[in-house]
Amino acid sequence: MKKTLTHLKVLSFLLFLPIVAWSQTKVSGKVVDVKGQGIPFVTVVEQGASNGTTTDENGNFQFSVSQLPATIVASYIGFETKKVTVNSASAITITLKEESVGLDEVVVTGNRAKPRTVLDSPVPIDNIGVQELKQSGQDTFDQMLVYKVPSFNSANQAISDATAHFDPADLRGLGPSRTLVLVNGKRKNQSAQIYLNGTPGKGEVGIDLKSIPTAAIKNVEVLRDGASAQYGSDAIAGVINIILKDKSEYTEVSAKTGITAEGDGFNFGTDINATFGLGDEGTVNFTAAYYTQQLTNRAGTPGVRDLPANPQQNWVDWATENPDLGMIVGQPDLTKKDFFVNITYPISDDVEFYTFHGYTQRDGRSFAYYRAPYWRGDVEASEFLTPAGSFQGYHPTFEVDVQDNMSSAGLKFILGGFNTDLSITYGRNSVDYTVNRSVNRDYLADHGWSPRTFHPGGYAFSNVISNLDFSRTFSDMVSAYFGFETKRDMYDAFEGDPFSYYGGGSDSFAGIKPSEAGSWSRTSFATYVGLDFDITKAFLLGGAIRYEDFSDFGSNTSWKLNGRYKIGENAALRASASTGFRAPSLHQRYITLSQYIIVPGFADPQLQGTLANDDPAVVALGVPNLTAETSDNYSFGVTAKLAKNLSFSADIYNIKVKDRVLFSSQIKSIDGNLDGSDQVEQILLDNNVLALQFFINAVNTKTTGADIVLDYSNIPLGNGKFGASLSMNFNNTKIDGAVSNPPILEAGGYEIFNRREAGRITDARPKSKILLGLNYKTDKFNVALNNTSFGEVTVFDDVDPNLDQVHSSKIVTDLILGYNFNEKFSVSVNANNLFDVYPDVLDENLRSAGGRFLYSSEVTQMGFKGANYSLNFNFKF
């Protein structure tokens, strides 16, 4: 019986074989480059089927397709993937174009008249694809930029209230406020949070870069030059333009998970990106993403050394059992959800409708200083939390609900021969606070009990921007652009619950009082015009001018001149000179609040007040009203394509910023005896705080630096391609001139902007950053080895230069190993900070709150998470 069945199977196969052979067609041909030379080892497959092969050493291929006509897909590392529909079985020629590399890439940022290649652009621009970003191995978009753009810096900030959930970021060490961020060329709204704690970027407002999922990004263009004359306020250090995906060949799903070498900081993320048709020619690109991370803890362990004289026994027992004194110092808990959609729809041959929308919601939990039992004797005495003699303190949490959304819609059409773009953009960022595991000490004293959970309120910032932009290329020599913009900014401070601001407020973060809550707005109008004149094929000269008028402080006119001179076909000299400005943010003009913070001279956190710049008490001190910052920006560079796959660029720059808007020093009693003996102490008493800060036009600064980039890519090696890149930034910021101290403060011995605050803007970011990246790719396997050197930073003492501490430069090594099982499924393993490198440990005299911090939160290199590992999956279908 078994033999009979075997015979039937063989017979069935022989009968079916001719049908199979008849239904498939052999096709043959050759894959060549643009010069007609055959390309070996190219993957050639039939779309939608498993049929396929690879080309031989001469680029020839032959395989069977299901039927004719058929769609064939040819792909190879270093070349653009190409689809062709074939109707004949032989003599098929498929021409692949090399992927744009380095100076041949076309960019739009900074070139409002017409797109130019990086080589042809008169200003330095980086163009970074999403795959290159992912190759950094980092978890979030902002950290990917840190390890791909040498002049960009950002790191997580611990024990810094809401700042811990936003991570201040900047270009060229000029602070978060002086980098303009665009999405698809449209201005991104600022965050609602202003950075008030002792971190880099203190007193400034940035963009919430965590609100943009990497899966939605096509590429990022980084303009490393002042551009206020083209884009308006904030573009002093440069412009980051995030280009969203508009169409994708596959639906792509990614998932990743990771953990640190210490066993904490577990994270998991997943996302999906897909493109759908809309009508005959429209497209809808959709992204959904989810990411969650757990806290890390790198607290110091001062233990019993922190105890006061003659401690109670329960304090000794607690400090012995908890040498870290209950502290959690590291990255916060975080859960984030993103939804993005990018839509284009051609209405006619000359009219296109576009719109994109993004929404991000994230919950975060960070930790305040642990309230040690000997810090809160009043709470112990109340016996509210524990019986007498067993009090162990409490640990307030700082929790946030951050929401960010951006929507833009517009029409692109031809009007009078001009390319016209009419658009409206709305953006909003909000943050709502919750304090848990705390008490209100004043309410407890007055009523014998206190809530443990408080809702201190929150903030929101939004804007509505209308743009009408025109551009036209009149000839090979002349192109021009002009446009108009109206903008309305809105800032809201939301009142907290009454328990959160009763007396001194909830311990760790006091609620926003009714007198501190409110809504503020301003409007602005701008017009600009620019001209690019290709005097010869080699010599380009361009210029722009922009006038902007704000309802709350006046107007500004910025200008820019730039030029480029090509030396042959593969090299160029470039230079630019421009002025810029930055309007004080509404946050900086109007925020008023109280918060618990470490005040020098006190062991435990004390209540500090922030008053608006126009508050009568601040005006009485002789502090002038805030005005706009202005800047002068000069740069000169050379760029060259030294060989087919080797490019080089070097640019030097000088940026002078006048009247930088920053947070003042802590104004507190000189002798520690707050008795109202002078006008300053009386203001402190009137506001029930031990220290006071406010916003001022603090200083003028001068920043000089250089950017150097060397890229060697797509080099054939064995069965794959090798690439190497070396990019460097060197910068130095100095205070230009003396700090102006109002006479009232000067007479009382107070400093409005002391050396510690000055050091925060000159030495808190690395003076240099060098990135060396090596990678090798084959059809199946890829490996990347990245080394990043973070230069020196300095922690300043308030008064004594001998107590300053220079933190030495550090090198962080990242290793990424990837394997492609097929064109639709790949896996990679990342080891970030492979050798577990940490910043220098703080000197004892600089350790905040008795040694609870091993690493400084006032300066930033690469953070202090240590080595971490992740596993990544990518599916396409």
Side-chain angles (χ1 to χ4, degrees):
M1 182 69 179
K2 213 178 259 190
K3 186 182 284 188
T4 303
L5 286 172
T6 301
H7 289 160
L8 286 172
K9 287 180 181 178
V10 172
L11 181 61
S12 298
F13 174 75
L14 292 173
L15 290 172
F16 184 68
L17 186 59
I19 299 174
V20 174
W22 175 81
S23 65
Q24 298 220 339
T25 303
K26 282 189 176 181
V27 294
S28 61
K30 190 172 186 178
V31 179
V32 298
D33 60 20
V34 292
K35 295 181 179 180
Q37 298 177 338
I39 307 174
F41 313 121
V42 177
T43 300
V44 185
V45 298
E46 180 183 5
Q47 182 174 284
S50 59
N51 308 331
T53 187
T54 56
T55 59
D56 62 19
E57 63 273 12
N58 298 313
N60 298 309
F61 68 87
Q62 179 176 302
F63 71 105
S64 296
V65 297
S66 56
Q67 62 182 7
L68 292 175
T71 299
I72 294 177
V73 181
S75 61
Y76 187 56
I77 296 169
F79 292 85
E80 296 178 357
T81 299
K82 188 169 184 179
K83 292 182 184 180
V84 295
T85 300
V86 297
N87 296 293
S88 60
S90 60
I92 300 167
T93 301
I94 302 174
T95 302
L96 296 186
K97 181 181 177 183
E98 285 194 60
E99 290 179 340
S100 294
V101 175
L103 304 180
D104 293 325
E105 296 169 332
V106 175
V107 291
V108 297
T109 308
N111 300 302
R112 299 198 77 146
K114 63 180 180 181
R116 296 180 183 272
T117 66
V118 174
L119 175 64
D120 285 336
S121 177
V123 290
I125 304 175
D126 300 315
N127 188 10
I128 307 168
V130 67
Q131 293 304 319
E132 188 177 353
L133 285 172
K134 290 181 177 179
Q135 200 174 59
S136 68
Q138 302 300 315
D139 296 326
T140 57
F141 170 58
D142 55 339
Q143 287 305 298
M144 292 177 185
L145 285 180
V146 169
Y147 287 86
K148 283 299 177 183
V149 180
S151 58
F152 182 87
N153 286 289
S154 177
N156 179 246
Q157 307 297 325
I159 313 291
S160 53
D161 294 340
T163 303
H165 304 277
F166 284 85
D167 300 350
D170 61 46
L171 281 171
R172 294 179 165 178
L174 283 170
S177 300
R178 294 163 199 86
T179 298
L180 176 65
V181 176
L182 309 174
V183 178
N184 281 359
K186 307 301 179 185
R187 179 183 284 261
K188 178 81 176 77
N189 55 284
Q190 292 179 316
S191 72
Q193 182 63 38
I194 189 167
Y195 312 132
L196 296 179
N197 289 67
T199 66
K202 179 182 177 182
E204 303 205 34
V205 182
I207 305 298
D208 187 5
L209 292 176
K210 292 183 183 297
S211 66
I212 303 172
T214 308
I217 298 172
K218 179 180 179 181
N219 63 288
V220 179
E221 296 179 358
V222 181
L223 170 61
R224 293 178 278 112
D225 195 49
S228 291
Q230 296 161 300
Y231 296 102
S233 176
D234 306 343
I236 290 176
V239 179
I240 297 174
N241 189 11
I242 301 164
I243 312 296
L244 301 178
K245 291 177 181 175
D246 50 1
K247 59 181 68 175
S248 50
E249 182 180 350
Y250 299 101
T251 294
E252 187 169 353
V253 177
S254 298
K256 69 174 299 179
T257 187
I259 198 167
T260 72
E262 297 293 324
D264 56 10
F266 172 81
N267 66 76
F268 171 78
T270 185
D271 56 63
I272 181 171
N273 178 266
T275 299
F276 309 98
L278 181 64
D280 294 332
E281 298 182 41
T283 59
V284 178
N285 187 269
F286 170 78
T287 302
Y290 172 84
Y291 175 77
T292 185
Q293 70 180 31
Q294 295 178 0
L295 62 86
T296 59
N297 188 12
R298 305 292 181 268
T301 54
V304 295
R305 290 181 291 122
D306 188 62
L307 293 172
N310 303 315
Q312 298 175 188
Q313 187 57 46
N314 63 302
W315 298 351
V316 176
D317 294 341
W318 176 81
T320 302
E321 294 172 5
N322 300 276
D324 60 4
L325 305 180
M327 293 289 288
I328 296 178
V329 181
Q331 76 175 21
D333 293 319
L334 180 150
T335 298
K336 183 168 76 85
K337 299 173 280 290
D338 307 285
F339 301 94
F340 268 67
V341 62
N342 188 20
I343 301 172
T344 58
Y345 184 78
I347 298 173
S348 66
D349 290 342
D350 296 329
V351 181
E352 180 185 77
F353 169 76
Y354 66 88
T355 184
F356 63 89
H357 307 269
Y359 173 75
T360 294
Q361 190 278 330
R362 70 176 184 269
D363 299 310
R365 184 183 69 156
S366 57
F367 295 83
Y369 286 87
Y370 191 99
R371 269 46 183 177
Y374 41 90
W375 280 1
R376 294 296 184 257
D378 56 335
V379 179
E380 179 177 21
S382 72
E383 299 189 23
F384 170 62
L385 296 179
T386 57
S390 60
F391 181 62
Q392 295 191 348
Y394 51 95
H395 199 181
T397 66
F398 191 90
E399 301 172 23
V400 297
D401 174 6
V402 180
Q403 299 189 45
D404 187 281
N405 57 286
M406 181 180 183
S407 296
S408 185
L411 291 171
K412 292 182 178 180
F413 53 95
I414 306 296
L415 181 64
F418 283 84
N419 296 312
T420 306
D421 186 347
L422 174 64
S423 66
I424 185 168
T425 303
Y426 172 76
R428 185 177 190 271
N429 183 275
S430 66
V431 54
D432 292 307
Y433 306 137
T434 299
V435 171
N436 266 314
R437 300 184 349 200
S438 185
V439 298
N440 184 315
R441 296 163 66 192
D442 289 321
Y443 195 88
L444 175 62
D446 293 344
H447 297 85
W449 74 279
S450 168
R452 301 300 309 279
T453 297
F454 303 88
H455 300 283
Y459 298 95
F461 177 83
S462 61
N463 55 26
V464 180
I465 307 171
S466 299
N467 292 96
L468 180 58
D469 303 306
F470 301 89
S471 66
R472 182 175 180 179
T473 300
F474 291 93
S475 67
D476 290 341
M477 296 179 63
V478 180
S479 55
Y481 55 92
F482 67 96
F484 308 92
E485 178 181 279
T486 63
K487 180 160 65 82
R488 179 176 175 82
D489 296 330
M490 292 152 283
Y491 179 62
D492 299 285
F494 303 111
E495 179 183 339
D497 70 66
F499 294 113
S500 70
Y501 58 76
Y502 182 93
S506 43
D507 193 6
S508 82
F509 191 86
I512 298 170
K513 304 178 181 69
S515 61
E516 298 168 344
S519 296
W520 302 270
S521 66
R522 70 176 173 205
T523 58
S524 63
F525 169 80
T527 182
Y528 69 90
V529 62
L531 177 71
D532 285 350
F533 186 25
D534 288 274
I535 299 172
T536 67
K537 287 186 177 180
F539 186 31
L540 165 67
L541 190 63
I545 188 168
R546 182 182 179 108
Y547 171 81
E548 198 146 0
D549 183 73
F550 285 77
S551 62
D552 59 344
F553 77 87
S555 61
N556 175 271
T557 300
S558 298
W559 57 264
K560 182 171 187 175
L561 292 173
N562 54 52
R564 180 224 66 219
Y565 185 79
K566 294 184 71 172
I567 305 170
E569 291 297 320
N570 295 318
L573 300 175
R574 59 194 181 195
S576 72
S578 64
T579 62
F581 83 107
R582 189 187 77 82
S585 70
L586 292 178
H587 321 52
Q588 292 172 322
R589 290 182 66 85
Y590 298 111
I591 191 169
T592 301
L593 81 160
S594 301
Q595 62 183 143
Y596 283 87
I597 198 167
I598 291 294
V599 176
F602 294 87
D604 57 320
Q606 301 293 322
L607 201 59
Q608 172 186 283
T610 296
L611 294 183
N613 172 263
D614 61 354
D615 187 284
V618 176
V619 174
L621 293 176
V623 177
N625 287 335
L626 292 180
T627 62
E629 302 176 1
T630 57
S631 67
D632 297 313
N633 193 316
Y634 303 94
S635 69
F636 175 80
V638 59
T639 182
K641 189 174 182 180
L642 303 177
K644 178 181 177 182
N645 297 302
L646 177 62
S647 63
F648 167 80
S649 69
D651 295 271
I652 58 175
Y653 57 87
N654 182 296
I655 305 170
K656 294 181 179 180
V657 183
K658 184 179 180 181
D659 296 326
R660 283 180 68 157
V661 179
L662 296 166
F663 215 22
S664 72
S665 302
Q666 288 180 335
I667 308 299
K668 59 185 181 66
S669 173
I670 297 294
D671 58 9
N673 182 24
L674 188 58
D675 56 10
S677 57
D678 62 21
Q679 185 173 347
V680 174
E681 290 200 359
Q682 190 58 52
I683 291 173
L684 295 173
L685 289 172
D686 291 344
N687 288 274
N688 192 33
V689 294
L690 284 176
L692 182 68
Q693 289 186 284
F694 40 83
F695 286 92
I696 55 174
N697 289 102
V699 293
N700 304 330
T701 61
K702 179 180 178 181
T703 300
T704 56
D707 293 317
I708 302 170
V709 179
L710 186 65
D711 188 78
Y712 191 43
S713 302
N714 287 334
I715 311 305
L717 181 64
N719 293 330
K721 294 268 182 109
F722 170 77
S725 63
L726 177 66
S727 53
M728 298 172 277
N729 172 258
F730 303 92
N731 68 85
N732 186 34
T733 296
K734 295 293 184 184
I735 304 295
D736 191 10
V739 177
S740 178
N741 208 27
I744 294 176
L745 295 179
E746 187 76 26
Y750 300 94
E751 285 188 284
I752 196 170
F753 200 73
N754 66 18
R755 64 186 309 275
R756 189 171 199 153
E757 298 301 333
R760 205 186 308 277
I761 63 174
T762 60
D763 291 84
R765 297 293 199 193
K767 295 288 189 181
S768 66
K769 196 166 77 173
I770 302 172
L771 283 63
L772 173 62
L774 307 173
N775 64 81
Y776 181 71
K777 298 180 181 179
T778 69
D779 281 346
K780 290 290 186 182
F781 180 75
N782 64 82
V783 58
L785 181 66
N786 302 318
N787 287 281
T788 304
S789 171
F790 294 87
E792 291 182 348
V793 293
T794 303
V795 183
F796 281 75
D797 182 74
D798 282 328
V799 178
D800 189 353
N802 295 316
L803 298 180
D804 296 346
Q805 182 183 358
V806 177
H807 288 204
S808 61
S809 60
K810 303 293 179 180
I811 297 177
V812 174
T813 301
D814 303 321
L815 177 64
I816 298 97
L817 302 174
Y819 185 78
N820 304 319
F821 289 90
N822 53 49
E823 65 173 1
K824 296 183 179 180
F825 176 51
S826 61
V827 175
S828 67
V829 178
N830 301 348
N832 292 104
N833 197 349
L834 182 64
F835 300 112
D836 203 26
V837 176
Y838 281 83
D840 290 347
V841 173
L842 275 169
D843 290 343
E844 288 286 346
N845 64 285
L846 291 170
R847 293 190 188 182
S848 179
R852 288 163 170 79
F853 285 79
L854 282 177
Y855 310 105
S856 175
S857 62
E858 297 190 33
V859 298
T860 297
Q861 289 171 300
M862 66 291 184
F864 45 86
K865 186 164 64 173
N868 54 100
Y869 315 101
S870 63
L871 178 63
N872 309 265
F873 301 90
N874 184 268
F875 307 85
K876 298 178 181 178
F877 55 89

